[in-house]
Amino acid sequence: MKKLSHSLLPCLGLTLALSSCGIYSRYQRPTGLTTEVYRADQAALASADSSTSLARLPWRELFTDPQLQKLIEEALRQNVDLQTAALSVRQAEAQLKAARLSFFPSLSLAPSVSTRKSEGAEATHSYELPVQASWQVDLFGALLNASRSSQVQLLRAQEYQRLVQSRLIASVANGYYTLLMLDRQLALSQEAAGLAQRTLEVMQAQKEHGRALESAVQSARAALHQVQASLPEIKRQRIAAENSLALLLGQSPRSYERSTLEAQRLPEQLSVGLPIQLLSQRPDVRVAELALASCYYQTNAARSALYPTLSISGSLGWVGSLGQAVANPMRLVSSAVGALAQPIFARGRLVAGLRVAQAEQEKALLAFQQSLLAAGAEVSNALALYEASTERVAEEAKQIESLKANVAITEELFRSGRSSSYLEVISAQQALLQAQLTEVRDRFSRMQAVVNLYNALGGGADTVKP
């Protein structure tokens, strides 16, 4: 044993000398990453105070509608994709445990019985009861880098679970707001159908008294049928939206209780935080960086494969002859072997494997940088949608007030038989309906922009259960 320990000293010295080659070093975030991910005209929304970022807001404080909160909670419990991500985390935990156990020696009990017979002699029976052990000494970091890679894979699985949850919350919220938009559009179309019905009745009365032509009555009837024809399509879209929401919740198609579009309250002031916060808050950026870290350790492992491997094996047990315990008693036998193996003929293959690992690492770095740029683009798009829809809604509200007044004036003039014609009445009603439907869509776009910005900043991913 003394000789074996002396023979390991040169190997340990070589290990220390090679530590500067990076085989044992930990992953460090690359320098020179792009941090200007926000547009210059939107940079005012970036705040040095990270607590003001929309991403820091818990989803229950952003989405205050009780019905929406119930749907999100149900989705977090039953969504299939989120459950699959949780299973991937458990799988990564088991793989990390297996990687850590590889540092320890392996033990096995290998009892055996043998029979030997030669000509003119009786058969002899012998047995062995050895306990065998083998241990791979991690001189050059092969096992260490494999363990670190497994640990990074676990972190990546956890970040992916956060990513699925963040997107799930955003999808449920968008689906819920889509239903509220369709509900409001259906209500407006039904109101417009009622208005067109009353216009038709007035024109029919005017015709009976000789104050309107049959063409006016038919035009009013056609306008009524046009509005009524739009109702089945809106109802179909509502069913499709409810079915999509049910799929997110892991449920069969059904209808859901909900509030109204007018009752929703979302933040008026938006802050996105500093660009560098995307690195720590947004799950998909973290997933991309952890993929880079995993490739880094895999490159180290491929580099370690070029160096010798040291393995120690030994056995301890009893041997003896069956039926001859007195003449040939059992004996205690032990052995120990140390082996140092250096790849020679496989070196070309190992070098090729190292180059492949280095290329994968470079690709992972490019993917990481691209994910950060994509995150900035999504934030910018959400902010632009929010600003544009806010301005449109403000102008459309004024437009609707004017159109409502115009409808009332044209109807009064038509009933009194003064200057307005039936065409002016129908045109005013149709213009009002289209403006109201457009205003509802733009209000939905504004709400959708808040949801998209929340998701783009990585919001909603802070409550994943282990």
Side-chain angles (χ1 to χ4, degrees), residues 157-236:
Q158 292 172 341
E159 289 297 329
Y160 181 74
Q161 185 182 12
R162 294 177 66 241
L163 173 61
V164 173
Q165 174 170 307
S166 177
R167 291 178 175 176
L168 176 62
I169 292 174
S171 297
V172 173
N174 278 328
Y176 182 79
Y177 292 146
T178 299
L179 284 174
L180 299 186
M181 176 193 67
L182 293 172
D183 288 343
R184 182 57 181 160
Q185 287 183 340
L186 181 61
L188 290 173
S189 297
Q190 289 173 338
E191 291 176 5
L195 187 61
Q197 179 66 42
R198 291 193 295 273
T199 301
L200 175 60
E201 292 172 354
V202 170
M203 289 187 176
Q204 287 175 334
Q206 295 276 18
K207 177 179 176 297
E208 292 176 358
H209 292 83
R211 297 172 56 185
L213 300 175
E214 179 64 23
S215 60
V217 175
Q218 295 301 329
S219 295
R221 182 174 286 110
L224 172 61
H225 292 320
Q226 181 182 5
V227 176
Q228 289 177 334
S230 66
L231 301 181
E233 175 60 20
I234 298 177
K235 293 177 181 179
R236 183 201 66 79

Side-chain angles (χ1 to χ4, degrees), residues 363-423:
K363 288 165 58 179
L365 176 59
L366 294 175
F368 176 39
Q369 293 175 332
Q370 185 66 20
S371 68
L372 186 58
L373 294 174
E378 291 182 11
V379 171
S380 179
N381 290 339
L383 288 173
L385 178 60
Y386 179 82
E387 294 171 355
S389 57
T390 299
E391 294 177 2
R392 288 199 304 267
V393 168
E395 295 299 325
E396 287 161 355
K398 300 174 183 178
Q399 179 190 19
I400 290 173
E401 289 299 321
S402 298
L403 290 174
K404 285 182 178 179
N406 185 47
V407 169
I409 292 172
T410 54
E411 286 182 342
E412 178 61 25
L413 291 175
F414 180 73
R415 290 191 183 94
S416 62
R418 286 179 284 177
S419 59
S420 287
S421 66
Y422 68 92
L423 290 177

